[in-house]
Amino acid sequence: MRSLFPVTDLTTTGAAAPDREWSLDELAEAYAYPAELTAAPSAGLAAGTPWLRANMVSTLDGAAQHDGRSQPISCAADMRIFGTLRGLADVVIAGAETVRLEGYRPARAREAFAARRAAAGQGPAPAVAVVTGSMDLDFSLPLFTEPLVPTFVLTGAGAPADRIAAARKAGAEVVIAGDGTRVDPARAVRELAGRGLTRQLTEGGPRLLGQFVAAGVLDELCLTISPMLTAGDAQRIAGGPGVAVPERFFLASLLEEAGFLFTRYRRTDS
């Protein structure tokens, strides 16, 4: 396996970094959340300010999935970064469809991140928060019955009362984050931050990411560009209604391995 190269080594010195695999600790440093999230309010962000990052993968021709799943266009290094991003987050936010298609299970505690999480005042593993208006979920699955930390279900005030009761009976914490049966993405982010979950990570799917983009609450995008072509009509990484004016992000870092590019972009005002 070729090593991962930081963008500064490629663009500043023009020389390749040593040919080796980055450790999980090095990846954690490279993908650390803003220091202000753990500092005093006067140091930058206000207390309780959320930072929402997304982690997605796309082929060269813009497909976010193949046969309905992201795994076929991913790779081992992508999964290492996937695990690192989870290891740093307070909460992982996913849409109900993605939870069903990808077979979500509870996030697990990992020894590699234990000391870092303890120093940041985090629990042993991130919580999972499922966004659903219909509450069409199987509450007998381990995600709800066997999590290390309780799973959150984000829904609207008009969600079916019997499904809300079923979620709570299974041990999930139901959070009302919208009117009617729809979830307001900005309110969802605020509700989670109000519970101390400020380091937020969304893994999609495309419809949910599109909602976060349209609401203007996405701070950072960690995008893996897969050196594959799929053609077809697969979804892009973000779907739904477009924004009136495209929002500009800047490149914060770039890593490479075996033709896969691991990019990290931040909003220009973040």
Side-chain angles (χ1 to χ4, degrees):
M1 178 182 290
R2 295 178 59 197
S3 63
L4 300 173
F5 301 129
V7 66
T8 50
D9 282 348
L10 295 177
T11 62
T12 302
T13 68
D19 189 14
R20 64 176 179 81
E21 183 176 86
W22 280 26
S23 68
L24 289 178
D25 195 56
E26 287 173 311
L27 285 176
E29 288 294 330
Y31 283 92
Y33 279 84
E36 293 91 338
L37 290 177
T38 57
S42 60
L45 299 174
T49 300
W51 183 273
L52 176 64
R53 66 168 34 146
N55 181 33
M56 302 293 284
V57 59
S58 171
T59 63
L60 295 176
D61 51 351
Q65 304 163 338
H66 183 66
D67 288 338
R69 300 180 65 241
S70 60
Q71 189 277 332
I73 62 174
S74 182
C75 67
D78 186 41
M79 296 310 297
R80 280 171 60 82
I81 292 176
F82 173 92
T84 298
L85 294 178
R86 280 195 162 203
L88 298 173
D90 294 327
V91 60
V92 177
I93 310 170
E97 184 176 4
T98 295
V99 167
R100 290 189 291 265
L101 289 174
E102 302 282 354
Y104 265 54
R105 297 184 61 84
R108 59 189 177 91
R110 298 182 61 188
E111 182 61 30
F113 300 102
R116 187 180 295 271
R117 292 186 68 86
Q122 296 173 291
V128 174
V130 184
V131 178
T132 174
S134 67
M135 299 288 289
D136 181 17
L137 295 164
D138 183 353
F139 296 117
S140 68
L141 294 177
L143 177 62
F144 302 101
T145 62
E146 302 174 13
L148 190 60
V149 292
T151 293
F152 291 86
V153 176
L154 297 166
T155 193
D162 61 328
R163 301 302 295 159
I164 290 178
R168 287 174 172 156
K169 184 177 180 180
E173 182 172 339
V174 178
V175 178
I176 303 301
D179 299 324
T181 58
R182 295 184 60 83
V183 174
D184 179 330
R187 182 172 168 184
V189 167
R190 292 196 305 270
E191 290 287 347
L192 291 171
R195 289 162 171 79
L197 306 174
T198 55
R199 303 171 187 86
Q200 300 177 4
L201 169 67
T202 180
E203 297 170 349
R207 183 164 53 185
L208 179 61
L209 178 56
Q211 292 171 358
F212 283 134
V213 170
V217 294
L218 185 70
D219 297 294
E220 181 178 329
L221 173 62
C222 299
L223 176 64
T224 295
I225 301 174
S226 171
M228 301 181 189
L229 294 169
T230 65
D233 56 359
Q235 288 181 294
R236 297 162 51 202
I237 65 167
V243 296
V245 178
E247 187 171 12
R248 182 67 181 266
F249 280 57
F250 72 89
L251 181 64
S253 69
L254 173 64
L255 307 174
E256 183 273 343
E257 182 177 89
F260 284 81
L261 299 179
F262 306 98
T263 71
R264 187 163 60 94
Y265 288 89
R266 289 187 174 185
R267 278 197 323 197
T268 55
D269 60 349
S270 294

